[in-house]
Amino acid sequence: MVKNRRYEDKEGSIFGVRHLQCFLLFCGLSVSYALRVNLSVAIVAMTDKAATNPNFDEFDWTEKTKSLVLSSFFWGYVVTQVPAGHLAHKFGGKLMLLMGNFVCSLLTVLTPICARLGDWQLVCALRVIMGLSQGFLFPSTHTILSKWAPVEERGTLGTYSYSGAQFGTVVMLATSGIMASSSMGWPSIFYISGGVGLVWSVAFFIWGASSPSECRLISAEEKKLIETSIGSDSANEHSSTPTKTPWLKFFTSVPFLVLALTHCTHNWGFWTLLTEIPSYMKNILNMDIKSNALLSALPYAAMFLMCFVFSTIQAQLSKRKCIPLSVSRKLFNSIGHWIPMITLICLGYVSANNTNMAIVLLTITVGINGATYLGFQVNHIDLSPNFAGILMGITNCAANMMGIIAPLIVGLIVTNEKDPDQWRIIFFIAAGFYFVGNLLFVVFGKTEVQPWNDAQPLHSTAKRNSTFVESQH
């Protein structure tokens, strides 16, 4: 480990260019999630102008139409996950992330105009394209992190970056109602969030970098620090000589298959909460959680804050070398899945006259979920730094299918929305997925770099440190 003369801590700098990259990723994820959830709030004002500023257009969209428009984003989002990982592997994470967020931001700014010109059909088409562009988000972010984060900082920097998703969600949910009621009306939700996204695109174009080797701002000392930790060959930008992607080995690798299943079970619980809890609150607890923007944002604010709590704990454990990396991954994943499993079961037994307890349980369920950022969410980089973006694309594609299947299962089981017994079954199913997914991860999950990670051109003589590699082509 090389000691940087500007940094006093031999374990790493207090603030370096790698932290700047993570801050840019944090902001990028914040913007992306704000663009993702803005329509769910804006559509209320778009279809009922009396609810906010009555001086703007109102659209006569049925509930079926609104559901169609809201879900259209994920049609595109699922499609580009795997291609995004491959393109990020080939061309670098910066270009793919920059293009994806720029296109999404630009289309967001155009949404009010398109709504007036082409009604819901054109808005739906825009959301599909936005989903296609945001499909590059997680594979590209994983690609960049795998090149910038030293092994000992992997969980912390990854958590800081991905906590932007919760921050963007909280800010958007908490401010959309204010914007819709302002003199600029509901179009301001799209203009402001899309405009911020365009500003981020400029900033990321100037200061962002796919790897230390292509960054002009980084010092020789910090670059050496990163390369020493993760392997100098791995820290460099994608090679001009392409490597062959070992697709077959991905799907015959037990640790990776377990990781994919864990990701799917996680998303089942996440999407069950995100899509069905408002309906449960309204029909069983006789309250509409969507009527209170701050209340809607509360669970995600808790998750955002808990990300920093968990990452601080993990950083201290790592610094003191208290537990091995594999134990750390499984410990935090167990916290993030099995505590929500318990609170979900409890939520199914909360009576209609105890809404405060329901809110507390919901907040704990979502908030504690943040521990998974130190668990399975960074395990792709553990298994294969060179193909982490592709692995994330594969698992995220499969996991987001749960966002389509879970609501359908709810529709089959909950035939009477006011029957608490039927809702209890839904919570039990989600809890069961959390239990099984984490159990598989604890028993079969690995943190060692897999042999197929080192797929290299035949003429390459470069050798890797298979223990400390932390990169992504």
Side-chain angles (χ1 to χ4, degrees), residues 60 271 299:
D60 185 21
W271 285 112

mmCIF file of all heavy atoms in Angstrom, residues 60 271 299:
data_model
loop_
_atom_site.group_PDB
_atom_site.id
_atom_site.type_symbol
_atom_site.label_atom_id
_atom_site.label_comp_id
_atom_site.label_asym_id
_atom_site.label_seq_id
_atom_site.Cartn_x
_atom_site.Cartn_y
_atom_site.Cartn_z
ATOM 1 N N ASP A 60 -57.860 13.121 -19.176
ATOM 2 C CA ASP A 60 -58.906 12.182 -18.764
ATOM 3 C C ASP A 60 -58.412 10.753 -18.974
ATOM 4 O O ASP A 60 -58.780 10.075 -19.935
ATOM 5 C CB ASP A 60 -60.182 12.445 -19.581
ATOM 6 C CG ASP A 60 -61.349 11.584 -19.107
ATOM 7 O OD1 ASP A 60 -61.288 11.112 -17.944
ATOM 8 O OD2 ASP A 60 -62.298 11.386 -19.880
ATOM 9 N N TRP A 271 -40.536 -5.047 -4.381
ATOM 10 C CA TRP A 271 -41.620 -4.593 -5.245
ATOM 11 C C TRP A 271 -42.988 -4.868 -4.642
ATOM 12 O O TRP A 271 -43.951 -4.152 -4.926
ATOM 13 C CB TRP A 271 -41.500 -5.229 -6.634
ATOM 14 C CG TRP A 271 -40.414 -4.615 -7.438
ATOM 15 C CD1 TRP A 271 -39.239 -5.192 -7.823
ATOM 16 C CD2 TRP A 271 -40.365 -3.274 -7.926
ATOM 17 N NE1 TRP A 271 -38.462 -4.306 -8.512
ATOM 18 C CE2 TRP A 271 -39.133 -3.112 -8.598
ATOM 19 C CE3 TRP A 271 -41.247 -2.192 -7.863
ATOM 20 C CZ2 TRP A 271 -38.769 -1.915 -9.199
ATOM 21 C CZ3 TRP A 271 -40.873 -1.004 -8.464
ATOM 22 C CH2 TRP A 271 -39.655 -0.873 -9.126
ATOM 23 N N PRO A 299 -40.167 5.773 4.712
ATOM 24 C CA PRO A 299 -39.400 4.509 4.678
ATOM 25 C C PRO A 299 -38.110 4.622 3.874
ATOM 26 O O PRO A 299 -37.084 4.041 4.248
ATOM 27 C CB PRO A 299 -40.382 3.521 4.021
ATOM 28 C CG PRO A 299 -41.733 4.098 4.288
ATOM 29 C CD PRO A 299 -41.548 5.571 4.204
#
